[in-house]
């Protein structure tokens, strides 16, 4: 069985709850693969900051990243549009990232005085610290082929449905016991890293300069 979660355009409370519930449902029914996708031409353009999320909301998102990183089943992100900020973090937390040629990947946090602190553990699965710093500092988004070269993407496909079916057939063969053992490799340091990420983001969101920058968000930065 394949469990599917379709993301909204932004990571607001309903989207985070849908992710959390979708992961839990996949475990309840003993799904063989968890597929995370967006609507056609979309994936997820990051966290919604209107209203500004409180600490509980940030902790809820951190819990989703934790659940993805430690899920005892293979996870596949199919990206057919912008995967930005927290949306990129959700994709990076998956075992396999499949992208179309119209996908875009980026971390806009530095535009607003923020850092991708909550999603840092997921990003560091795929990027060296130097490459992560570069991606944060340069801000502009990357195309799917550029993201593939960086390691954020595992495959770029022109036939997205065909590639998705092929990857699912491969992933579903993985033993849950093996995956559970592999997840333990990351579990030891994950909790502390996510807690730091929540604290750092919550503190940043209290700064007037950050709130002013978010209020004047420029959607054309891509």
């Amino acid at each position: 069985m394949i469990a599917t979660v379709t993301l909204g355009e932004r990571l607001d409370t309903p989207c985070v709850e849908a992710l959390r519930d979708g992961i839990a449902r996949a475990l309840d029914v003993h799904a063989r693969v968890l597929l995370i996708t967006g609507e056609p031409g979309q994936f997820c353009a990051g966290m919604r900051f209107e209203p500004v999320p409180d600490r509980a909301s940030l902790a809820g998102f951190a819990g989703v990243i934790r659940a993805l990183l430690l899920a005892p089943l293979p996870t596949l992100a199919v990206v057919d549009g912008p995967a930005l900020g927290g949306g990129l973090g959700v994709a990076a937390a998956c075992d396999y990232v499949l992208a179309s040629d119209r996908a875009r990947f980026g971390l806009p946090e530095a535009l607003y005085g923020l850092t991708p602190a909550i999603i840092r553990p997921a990003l560091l699965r795929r990027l060296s610290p130097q490459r992560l710093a570069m991606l944060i500092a340069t801000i502009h988004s990357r195309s799917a082929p550029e993201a593939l070269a960086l390691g954020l993407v595992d495959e770029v496909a022109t036939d997205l449905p065909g590639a998705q079916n092929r990857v699912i057939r491969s992933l579903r063969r993985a033993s849950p016991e093996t995956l559970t053992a592999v997840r333990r490799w990351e579990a030891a340091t994950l909790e502390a890293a996510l807690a730091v990420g929540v604290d750092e983001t919550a503190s940043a969101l209290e700064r007037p300069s950050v709130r002013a920058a978010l209020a004047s968000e420029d959607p054309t930065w891509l």
Side-chain angles (χ1 to χ4, degrees):
M1 177 179 177
I2 310 304
T4 302
V5 177
T6 302
L7 299 177
E9 183 181 1
R10 289 281 187 169
L11 282 167
D12 53 14
T13 298
C15 183
V16 171
E17 289 178 348
L19 260 172
R20 181 198 63 204
D21 294 346
I23 296 167
R25 186 168 59 253
L27 299 181
D28 286 344
V29 300
H30 304 290
R32 297 308 302 265
V33 177
L34 173 61
L35 169 64
I36 297 179
T37 187
E39 300 294 340
Q42 298 181 15
F43 186 71
C44 181
M47 188 167 286
R48 189 178 299 282
F49 288 102
E50 183 58 45
V52 175
D54 57 18
R55 184 177 291 270
S57 298
L58 297 174
F61 177 54
V64 165
I65 296 298
R66 177 189 183 279
L68 286 172
L69 289 172
L70 300 182
L73 77 167
T75 51
L76 167 63
V78 176
V79 182
D80 189 33
L84 310 176
L88 175 52
V90 169
C94 292
D95 296 310
Y96 201 98
V97 179
L98 176 64
S100 73
D101 55 9
R102 61 181 173 181
R104 303 288 299 183
F105 301 82
L107 296 171
E109 284 85 350
L111 287 171
Y112 313 112
L114 295 168
T115 66
I118 294 174
I119 60 174
R120 182 175 180 269
L123 294 170
L124 286 176
R125 295 175 82 212
R126 293 181 165 271
L127 300 170
S128 69
Q130 185 278 328
R131 283 196 166 185
L132 176 55
M134 177 273 294
L135 199 64
I136 294 169
T138 53
I139 297 177
H140 70 275
S141 65
R142 266 66 177 184
S143 67
E146 289 174 315
L148 178 66
L150 286 170
L152 289 169
V153 167
D154 297 299
E155 181 181 348
V156 180
T158 53
D159 175 14
L160 203 59
Q164 175 181 308
N165 290 336
R166 171 175 47 78
V167 173
I168 286 174
R169 286 196 301 270
S170 177
L171 290 175
R172 69 187 304 168
R173 299 170 63 191
S175 159
E177 291 79 13
T178 297
L179 284 173
T180 298
V182 169
R183 303 312 193 208
R184 293 194 195 105
W185 299 347
E186 300 186 57
T189 59
L190 183 58
E191 297 293 348
L194 289 172
V196 168
V198 169
D199 288 343
E200 183 175 321
T201 305
S203 296
L205 288 172
E206 293 175 357
R207 296 200 297 266
S209 60
V210 170
R211 295 205 174 205
L214 290 170
S216 61
E217 179 179 2
D218 179 7
T220 66
W221 75 278
L222 282 170

